[in-house]
């Protein structure tokens, strides 16, 4: 089932959704696939204004539009997908925010773009499925970089030793940037199980079990890397990242 934000379901004139392994592009957004801008995500902070369907945007991790009928999306597999909308649904935006993007200021850049036309107080935001602090173990040095470079409480950044809470960091940043209504949608991309799994007696080969009937709800780069380290023949995630996004209805 597609993850949706209760906050965004109250915004008029838009459709939105967060993908998973069962529907990489959320089903409500699939009819608009051909309108998506072309882009290459690079864990950067560049924000592009989208003015027409299929616009060539180059290297970018954030998109902004006031045009109806253009589907804005980001691809993720543990990083944060963050979607934005004016409360009246007349402008929307998306951001791909991994740990690099958060440190380098992708959410600040988005707030600056929105503020060129508007006030962030008039916008809502939703943070989608991503690696959560339960599973996102990193180096001590990376935790220290966040603590030293971000105006966020240490207990928010790392509630457990060597674990980052990217979702809480992003929410804290968004609040400080003037987004007063923020929703957390979905769950941990690394450990959340699929909604339904067949019993072991179903006879699926062990090596192909997750591919035929997913054991996990979301695509995860971290989990896949761990699986491939154990078994190099385990398939990679190329082409299987999930889309998250939204569109102003025509």
């Amino acid at each position: 089932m597609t993850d949706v934000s209760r906050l965004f379901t109250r915004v008029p004139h838009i459709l939105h959704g967060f993908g998973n392994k069962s529907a990489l592009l959320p089903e409500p957004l699939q009819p608009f696939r051909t309108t998506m801008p072309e882009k290459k995500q690079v864990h950067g902070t560049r924000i592009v204004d989208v003015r027409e369907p299929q616009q060539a945007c180059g290297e970018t991790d954030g998109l902004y539009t006031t045009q109806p009928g253009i589907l804005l999306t980001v691809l993720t597999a543990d990083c944060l997908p963050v979607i934005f909308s004016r409360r009246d649904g007349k402008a929307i935006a998306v951001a791909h925010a991994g740990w690099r993007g958060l440190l380098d200021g992708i959410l600040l850049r988005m707030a600056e773009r929105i503020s060129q036309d508007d006030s962030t107080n008039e916008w809502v935001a939703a943070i989608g499925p991503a690696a959560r602090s339960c599973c996102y173990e990193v180096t001590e040095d990376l935790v220290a970089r966040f603590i030293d470079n971000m105006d966020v409480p240490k207990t928010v950044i790392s509630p457990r030793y060597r674990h980052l809470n990217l979702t809480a960091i992003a929410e804290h940043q968004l609040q400080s940037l003037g987004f007063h209504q923020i929703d957390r949608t979905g769950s941990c991309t690394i450990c959340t199980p699929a909604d339904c799994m067949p019993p072991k007696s179903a006879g699926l080969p062990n090596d192909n079990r997750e591919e035929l009937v997913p054991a996990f709800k979301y695509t995860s780069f971290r989990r896949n890397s761990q699986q491939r380290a154990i078994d190099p023949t385990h398939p990679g995630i190329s082409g299987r990242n999930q889309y998250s996004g939204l569109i102003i209805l025509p």
Side-chain angles (χ1 to χ4, degrees):
M1 181 180 294
T2 295
D3 291 314
V4 295
S5 162
R6 288 177 293 179
L7 184 59
F8 273 66
T9 57
R10 300 196 294 267
V11 177
H13 315 304
I14 68 166
L15 286 177
H16 79 285
F18 297 90
N20 55 52
K21 291 179 73 171
S22 297
L24 296 177
L25 179 62
E27 291 183 5
L29 304 181
Q30 290 178 10
F32 308 98
R33 177 189 290 271
T34 58
T35 71
M36 288 193 297
E38 298 178 6
K39 68 182 185 305
K40 180 181 180 181
Q41 296 176 188
V42 292
H43 300 277
T45 62
R46 179 170 176 254
I47 309 297
V48 172
D49 280 29
V50 180
R51 298 182 175 87
E52 59 186 12
Q54 300 179 327
Q55 179 175 321
C57 297
E59 294 184 348
T60 182
D61 289 84
L63 302 172
Y64 174 97
T65 194
T66 59
Q67 300 299 313
I70 303 175
L71 175 59
L72 303 187
T73 63
V74 290
L75 281 165
T76 60
D78 286 335
C79 295
L80 301 175
V82 188
I83 64 174
F84 303 82
S85 177
R86 267 189 59 95
R87 297 175 192 274
D88 59 9
K90 293 184 178 179
I92 58 174
V94 294
H96 164 244
W99 68 261
R100 293 179 185 85
L102 287 177
L103 273 177
D104 292 341
I106 179 70
L107 299 182
L108 173 61
R109 298 285 89 78
M110 182 60 76
E112 289 174 343
R113 174 61 192 90
I114 289 171
S115 297
Q116 290 178 23
D117 302 331
D118 210 344
S119 168
T120 53
N121 291 331
E122 296 299 321
W123 286 62
V124 295
I127 305 166
R132 299 290 175 90
S133 61
C134 55
C135 298
Y136 196 46
E137 186 174 359
V138 299
T139 65
E140 291 182 63
D141 287 345
L142 185 56
V143 173
R145 284 180 63 186
F146 271 86
I147 292 172
D148 292 342
N149 292 285
M150 305 196 78
D151 186 19
V152 179
K154 293 181 181 180
T155 54
V156 172
I157 291 172
S158 182
R160 298 172 56 197
Y161 175 65
R162 286 182 51 189
H163 283 68
L164 282 178
N165 193 339
L166 298 180
T167 299
I169 294 168
E171 184 173 30
H172 191 278
Q173 278 196 313
L174 291 168
Q175 289 172 342
S176 70
L177 292 166
F179 298 93
H180 297 312
Q181 285 193 292
I182 305 161
D183 196 13
R184 297 189 187 188
T185 304
S187 52
C188 180
T189 49
I190 298 175
C191 69
T192 301
D195 294 334
C196 181
M197 278 292 293
K200 291 183 179 180
S201 60
L204 293 174
N206 289 335
D207 289 346
N208 297 323
R209 182 176 176 81
E210 183 177 345
E211 299 311 307
L212 294 175
V213 181
F216 296 95
K217 183 174 182 178
Y218 305 106
T219 299
S220 166
F221 177 82
R222 177 66 64 94
R223 187 183 66 245
N224 187 258
S225 296
Q226 294 169 345
Q227 292 169 327
R228 287 168 64 82
I230 297 170
D231 177 9
T233 67
H234 189 88
I237 63 168
S238 177
R240 295 194 288 118
N241 292 16
Q242 48 249 342
Y243 292 86
S244 298
L246 72 173
I247 185 172
I248 304 171
L249 292 172

